[in-house]
Amino acid sequence: MRNILVIGIGAGNPDHVTIEAIEALNRADVLFIPDKGEEKAALRHLREAICARFIRKPGYRSVPVTIPRRAEAGDDYQGVVDDWHARIAASYRGLFESELAEGETGALLVWGDPALYDSTLRIMERVAASGLDLDWQVYPGISSVQVLAARHRIPLNTIGAPILITTGRRLAVGFPVDQDSVVVMLDGEQAFAKIAPDGLDIFWGAYLGTADEILLAGPLGETLAEITRVRAEARARHGWIMDTYLLRRRAAA
């Protein structure tokens, strides 16, 4: 049997890697490091820096994992994502078979937390379902949502009220009428600029936990133009951007 450790490494600050995650890293014989090309090389370099800083075990190996690009979603988002996951699962299976001997332990370093808008666990289920004799354990990490709230010095929820964590694709249809606090992730189209801003405040952050962290907050109607400008400049400068934000309905005066 091959064993895989799925390890959440936080949103970008190596200081946020938990003690449990560090101990898990030191159990691994082989580290599978995702490679999304030069455009997102900084993400690969951070994973490598975390390994260099925290792993005490001699003799571990790093194996690059080329992540295939996802096709444009179009009108079949679910179908496109399913196909993408299938291709990643096939790549993982091939690497697990060729690079991990039976009885060895491999590790996947997952950005943020593996349980929150990340597909690694679903992909692991696909690999196991393909017939490979495989077991895996999951180690949580600090998510961008937690870092966002900490940096803005705010709770995610109002007193006794729920929060909704959703995607930009879902927000684009409108701010949910039955929610007061909505956290938005995976928003490549800036859905916050497409909804009615009246009565909403935004708490926005990009590159959270890294040296390039950017924070902006204020009434949505007054802040969205600045966020749009700053976001575009940052994306052009770095070649990529990862951002998260909280929208909150303002309490009536």
Side-chain angles (χ1 to χ4, degrees):
M1 170 158 311
R2 295 169 174 86
N3 190 46
I4 301 293
L5 311 177
V6 181
I7 305 172
I9 59 170
N13 186 340
D15 288 342
H16 292 168
V17 179
T18 68
I19 293 173
E20 183 182 43
I22 292 170
E23 294 305 313
L25 286 171
N26 280 279
R27 289 171 50 202
D29 301 297
V30 182
L31 302 173
F32 295 95
I33 307 295
D35 188 346
K36 296 186 178 182
E38 286 307 309
E39 181 179 279
K40 293 187 177 180
L43 305 183
R44 182 180 71 249
H45 294 330
L46 179 63
R47 286 182 170 95
E48 293 168 345
I50 286 172
C51 293
R53 175 172 171 180
F54 293 121
I55 296 180
R56 307 177 299 273
K57 179 179 180 177
Y60 73 88
R61 295 184 292 118
S62 293
V63 174
V65 181
T66 301
I67 303 297
R69 288 186 176 273
R70 194 186 77 188
E72 292 296 325
D75 296 327
D76 186 19
Y77 178 76
Q78 294 290 342
V80 167
V81 171
D82 185 69
D83 172 73
W84 184 47
H85 287 175
R87 287 185 286 130
I88 297 174
S91 176
Y92 277 170
R93 170 164 181 156
L95 287 172
F96 293 164
E97 287 186 299
S98 64
E99 300 290 345
L100 199 62
E102 291 188 18
E104 283 192 320
T105 296
L108 295 169
L109 280 63
V110 176
W111 204 261
D113 182 90
L116 184 61
Y117 281 109
D118 183 89
S119 294
T120 302
L121 301 183
R122 296 185 186 90
I123 292 166
M124 290 297 296
E125 291 174 352
R126 284 176 178 260
V127 177
S130 72
L132 188 66
D133 195 7
L134 186 70
D135 192 18
W136 65 96
Q137 295 81 47
V138 183
Y139 298 86
I142 291 176
S143 70
S144 62
V145 176
Q146 294 166 285
V147 179
L148 178 77
R151 291 293 188 263
H152 282 291
R153 302 183 298 181
I154 55 171
L156 290 172
N157 61 291
T158 56
I159 296 175
I163 61 170
L164 174 68
I165 301 178
T166 189
T167 66
R169 176 181 290 270
R170 299 299 296 268
L171 179 71
V173 303
F175 190 89
V177 296
D178 58 345
Q179 299 291 331
D180 291 327
S181 302
V182 177
V183 174
V184 183
M185 305 179 71
L186 305 178
D187 184 6
E189 303 298 328
Q190 302 168 77
F192 60 83
K194 302 175 183 178
I195 63 173
D198 298 341
L200 295 177
D201 292 324
I202 187 169
F203 301 86
W204 178 84
Y207 311 105
L208 289 160
T210 75
D212 299 310
E213 184 176 272
I214 310 170
L215 300 170
L216 289 168
L220 179 59
E222 300 173 15
T223 314
L224 66 87
E226 183 180 9
I227 293 175
T228 300
R229 176 185 61 79
V230 169
R231 189 183 189 281
E233 291 174 353
R235 185 183 182 93
R237 183 165 61 251
H238 297 288
W240 62 280
I241 191 166
M242 293 173 64
D243 57 340
T244 305
Y245 54 92
L246 168 69
L247 290 172
R248 174 163 289 153
R249 200 183 304 277
R250 199 175 308 122

